[in-house]
Amino acid sequence: MIELNHVTKTYPGASQPAVDSVSLTIPEGEICVFIGPSGCGKTTLMRLTNRLIPITSGSISVDGKDIMGLDPIELRRHIGYAIQQVGLFPHMTVRDNIATVPKLLGWARTKIDARVDELLTLVNLEPGTFRDRYPRQLSGGQAQRVGVARAMAADPPIMLMDEPFGAIDPINREVLQDEFLRIQDKLKKTIIFVTHDINEAIKMGQRIALLKEGRLIQTGLPDELLNRPADEFVKSFVGADRVLKRLNLLKVRDAMMTNPVHCRSEDSSEKVLEQMVKNDLAFLIVTDRDQRLLGYVNQYDLRGHKGHAGDVARKLTLTVSPERNLKEALSQMLSYDLGILVVVGEDGRIQGVLNSTTLCSLVGSTYDEHGGHWGRITAAGRIL
Amino acid sequence: MTTYDFIVRNWPELMSLAWQHTVFVSIALAIAIATGVPLGVYLTFNRRLADTVLYLAGIMMTVPSVALFGLMIPVLSVFGHGIGTVPAVIALVLYSQLPILRSTYAAIRSVDPAIIEAGLGIGMTRAQVLFKVQIPMSLGVIFSGVRVAVVMSIGIGAIAAYIGAGGLGQYIFNGITQTYDAMINAGAVAVSAMAILADFMFGRLERTLVSKGLRRD
Ligand SMILES: Nc1ncnc2c1ncn2[C@@H]1O[C@H](COP(=O)(O)OP(=O)(O)OP(=O)(O)O)[C@@H](O)[C@H]1O
Ligand SMILES: [Mg+2]
């Protein structure tokens, strides 16, 4: 746990404080993302936390202990720090860079080698290829990942990561973010993560702290920042497309309508057609006895058909899992020009239906100044 | 007699002068490196003193070597060492200080502050950052200063014969007084050859000691 208590830092000779009375608690095992414009004091806050620079006023405590009462070297070995400029040691190989702290701690050679390879794999660099390279033989993004590995080497319970994925291409960045979150799920480190990228902040942060000119403007869950920006600055920072960004945070499960109307394959075609005409339905989902999706029928196919609805059912190839995020689902709907998307669980059973009209009003309505309308939409189960 | 003939005929004597030369230049360099490198490193922690020391070392370089040898005679006579190897070594140490000091100071200071911050940030002590990061990173530049000092000392060392330190300068001075060209040339060629050889050897040493990671290619 890291607690910042009215932390203020004025650099010698500066007229304005670089960090101005910031109070914030980062609970054990959480990732807190610091975000804000260049020069707002993100790096300064990190340097204060591991005592690379002295605090002007206020206090910081780590795991309940005031850092001023701790030995700075011990403190820093307790806190992994991946600096913004990477700062790999150019005269050491990748292995030796990562092994710096383990060596200082006197680990056995075999243990160090195993750890180096483990960390390289973790940051998506093939150990055999990269272990013996020198920093000058790495690309910017590769060097950055080695920097992260070096900071994690001795498995510190707390990590300060200053734009750790800044120089990495979007595809690799996504891979690293996912991998990182997967590991974090197990390791449960307490992490301060700096980024300039609001999408990265939303994805990585359990909590986001937005800074401006050294002051903490807003802190909260990613959804809160998007949903209830404190002021115009936050609003513009999270972007005009904050509504769309929220799609990333929501799962299909959150937006789908459960209990969609459907028929069974053994229902008679005549009966089904009758119901469809009565309820003015163009299509109807067909399932087996166990609610497993078989396909769909339309009125044209059923007309004049004597037999079971299952006989004339058409295959439904595009379905979506309830765990996918809404952005991906919407993108699927848009690219295939689908009005609806059937939500199917891993067991093949239908769980609900996603409909573009209700999807839009769902995301939009939560921004309604007068409160959300989740209830209205999900209750309107009959969408076909 | 040609220079070649002179060298061939006087080979044993030439070698003993060369050895003498090597000895006092080596002693001087050993002292200069042993004092200059640590002083240069220390100065990076004391900027104000650094300016003064580097300034003085700079002035030192401007004193003509013959004058310096001359100036030292009365001072060192007090200790009974007005002439000979001792004043020669002292003069060479003083001359070598500037290139060694300046290169060490500049190299240590030029280490990117971000690298130092990274080292401290992951929990190295200041001393560990100095010895495991800054100094190894600076070796190449320090070596270039040492090589300048080596070549310079071998050259200036020839003048030390003037105050009776012996060495290859003896052929040059004797040759001048006797207007014996072959002798002058033999001394000059030997001094140059020694400088080139020493520079080459230090170059080799540099390649083995300086990390491959710092090579530009
Ligand atoms: N060593 C220093 N001495 C004086 N002022 C400094 C120093 N380091 C940073 N500052 C100033 O403090 C302020 C905050 O700097 P900081 O590096 O914390 O910003 P940042 O949020 O990390 O920015 P960026 O996103 O560009 O990395 C800036 O105005 C900067 O100019
Ligand atoms: Mg910064």
Side-chain angles (χ1 to χ4, degrees):
Chain A
M1 185 167 71
I2 305 170
E3 288 166 283
L4 309 178
N5 192 4
H6 294 288
V7 173
T8 299
K9 171 69 186 180
T10 309
Y11 282 106
S15 54
Q16 293 274 320
V19 169
D20 192 356
S21 194
V22 169
S23 297
L24 180 68
T25 300
I26 299 143
E28 181 115 30
E30 261 196 24
I31 302 181
C32 177
V33 173
F34 285 180
I35 192 165
S38 196
C40 68
K42 304 180 293 291
T43 302
T44 303
L45 269 173
M46 293 193 157
R47 287 187 183 139
L48 288 168
T49 305
N50 65 6
R51 282 187 67 181
L52 281 172
I53 50 173
I55 198 164
T56 307
S57 68
S59 66
I60 300 178
S61 68
V62 167
D63 298 336
K65 281 176 245 158
D66 190 315
I67 56 165
M68 295 318 286
L70 301 171
D71 173 49
I73 303 298
E74 286 300 312
L75 176 73
R76 290 177 202 145
R77 290 194 185 159
H78 191 72
I79 302 178
Y81 183 29
I83 73 165
Q84 190 168 12
Q85 305 89 332
V86 185
L88 293 183
F89 306 136
H91 59 297
M92 295 184 188
T93 59
V94 164
R95 177 201 177 272
D96 289 341
N97 265 284
I98 297 174
T100 308
V101 178
K103 273 187 194 163
L104 294 177
L105 296 175
W107 288 18
R109 214 196 139 82
T110 46
K111 187 176 169 194
I112 292 180
D113 286 336
R115 181 69 178 149
V116 167
D117 287 5
E118 180 190 347
L119 286 164
L120 282 174
T121 312
L122 183 86
V123 294
N124 217 13
L125 294 173
E126 214 281 298
T129 314
F130 290 99
R131 196 192 294 122
D132 297 319
R133 287 209 190 169
Y134 283 99
R136 69 185 165 90
Q137 299 163 319
L138 302 175
S139 75
Q142 290 163 350
Q144 209 166 33
R145 283 179 265 170
V146 174
V148 171
R150 181 177 63 180
M152 297 177 73
D155 205 15
I158 297 175
M159 298 273 301
L160 308 176
M161 309 178 80
D162 205 341
E163 284 204 62
F165 306 142
I168 297 164
D169 66 279
I171 293 173
N172 265 306
R173 183 194 277 225
E174 198 118 325
V175 171
L176 284 170
Q177 289 169 343
D178 291 339
E179 182 70 354
F180 193 81
L181 288 174
R182 195 178 63 75
I183 307 262
Q184 166 65 4
D185 223 38
K186 277 189 284 180
L187 299 184
K188 295 262 181 275
K189 292 180 187 293
T190 307
I191 298 170
I192 296 180
F193 188 107
V194 167
T195 179
H196 274 120
D197 176 357
I198 182 73
N199 289 311
E200 186 169 64
I202 291 166
K203 180 168 180 182
M204 303 300 287
Q206 274 148 312
R207 196 175 296 263
I208 298 179
L210 186 72
L211 294 149
K212 180 193 173 189
E213 291 163 11
R215 282 192 306 277
L216 188 61
I217 302 296
Q218 186 172 1
T219 167
L221 307 175
D223 201 42
E224 284 170 3
L225 244 76
L226 293 172
N227 207 351
R228 290 192 292 278
D231 60 13
E232 282 305 313
F233 170 73
V234 182
K235 216 178 233 180
S236 73
F237 201 88
V238 297
D241 60 340
R242 64 202 168 88
V243 175
L244 288 178
K245 282 179 182 129
R246 244 191 116 231
L247 288 174
N248 256 332
L249 291 172
L250 295 173
K251 297 251 167 74
V252 167
R253 176 187 294 295
D254 304 322
M256 70 185 183
M257 277 154 294
T258 48
N259 292 324
V261 281
H262 61 276
C263 64
R264 298 251 181 99
S265 62
E266 68 269 23
D267 291 345
S268 94
S269 295
E270 279 174 330
K271 279 246 178 69
V272 171
L273 182 61
E274 199 184 303
Q275 282 297 315
M276 285 176 77
V277 172
K278 198 168 131 202
N279 292 306
D280 193 21
L281 302 174
F283 305 92
L284 193 63
I285 297 166
V286 183
T287 67
D288 67 8
R289 264 173 215 283
D290 289 329
Q291 304 256 334
R292 260 186 277 272
L293 179 71
L294 294 175
Y296 70 95
V297 289
N298 63 31
Q299 291 194 13
Y300 180 82
D301 291 340
L302 290 170
R303 206 154 289 148
H305 183 253
K306 305 267 181 263
H308 303 302
D311 304 338
V312 287
R314 295 171 181 245
K315 275 228 159 326
L316 195 57
T317 43
L318 278 168
T319 59
V320 69
S321 140
E323 300 309 324
R324 293 292 284 278
N325 76 41
L326 277 184
K327 194 174 171 187
E328 290 165 352
L330 183 64
S331 156
Q332 202 172 359
M333 290 170 85
L334 291 174
S335 44
Y336 294 99
D337 195 18
L338 301 171
I340 67 159
L341 209 48
V342 179
V343 183
V344 178
E346 271 181 40
D347 54 6
R349 290 195 169 89
I350 55 161
Q351 301 205 349
V353 171
L354 206 56
N355 165 312
S356 61
T357 333
T358 50
L359 177 65
C360 292
S361 58
L362 160 72
V363 180
S365 73
T366 57
Y367 288 95
D368 189 334
E369 302 287 300
H370 310 293
H373 290 94
W374 289 77
R376 185 197 65 194
I377 299 155
T378 35
R382 303 178 151 259
I383 44 87
L384 282 175
Chain B
M1 187 156 40
T2 63
T3 305
Y4 177 76
D5 290 333
F6 182 91
I7 291 175
V8 173
R9 276 188 214 172
N10 296 283
W11 186 252
E13 189 188 38
L14 184 71
M15 282 299 106
S16 97
L17 289 176
W19 174 245
Q20 223 171 18
H21 204 104
T22 309
V23 169
F24 67 72
V25 168
S26 304
I27 294 173
L29 278 169
I31 296 172
I33 294 170
T35 54
V37 173
L39 182 58
V41 172
Y42 171 73
L43 291 180
T44 60
F45 292 95
N46 192 336
R47 299 284 157 84
R48 210 170 313 158
L49 186 64
D51 290 341
T52 316
V53 171
L54 290 174
Y55 182 70
L56 288 179
I59 290 182
M60 192 67 233
M61 289 283 283
T62 65
V63 179
S65 44
V66 179
L68 181 65
F69 286 127
L71 283 171
M72 279 196 311
I73 295 175
V75 180
L76 290 173
S77 302
V78 178
F79 308 100
H81 286 291
I83 55 169
T85 314
V86 174
V89 167
I90 291 174
L92 291 181
V93 169
L94 289 176
Y95 278 119
S96 307
Q97 283 301 307
L98 183 71
I100 295 177
L101 264 183
R102 194 145 64 184
S103 63
T104 306
Y105 178 77
I108 299 278
R109 276 200 60 181
S110 72
V111 170
D112 183 354
I115 291 176
I116 297 171
E117 177 160 327
L120 294 173
I122 58 174
M124 297 172 94
T125 63
R126 191 67 192 82
Q128 283 163 345
V129 170
L130 180 63
F131 286 104
K132 289 180 197 287
V133 179
Q134 285 178 281
I135 291 178
M137 277 181 69
S138 304
L139 275 186
V141 176
I142 294 177
F143 252 99
S144 67
V146 168
R147 281 165 75 173
V148 168
V150 168
V151 171
M152 204 181 65
S153 296
I154 291 173
I156 294 176
I159 298 164
Y162 175 70
I163 52 165
L168 292 166
Q170 206 147 306
Y171 271 169
I172 300 173
F173 281 108
N174 290 348
I176 291 170
T177 35
Q178 297 167 29
T179 54
Y180 188 176
D181 285 352
M183 193 187 244
I184 300 173
N185 292 345
V189 167
V191 168
S192 300
M194 188 185 274
I196 291 168
L197 184 69
D199 190 52
F200 174 78
M201 283 179 358
F202 272 83
R204 271 302 170 88
L205 189 62
E206 179 179 337
R207 276 186 81 82
T208 53
L209 289 184
V210 176
S211 161
K212 282 205 282 290
L214 298 170
R215 246 176 244 165
R216 285 172 281 269
D217 54 29

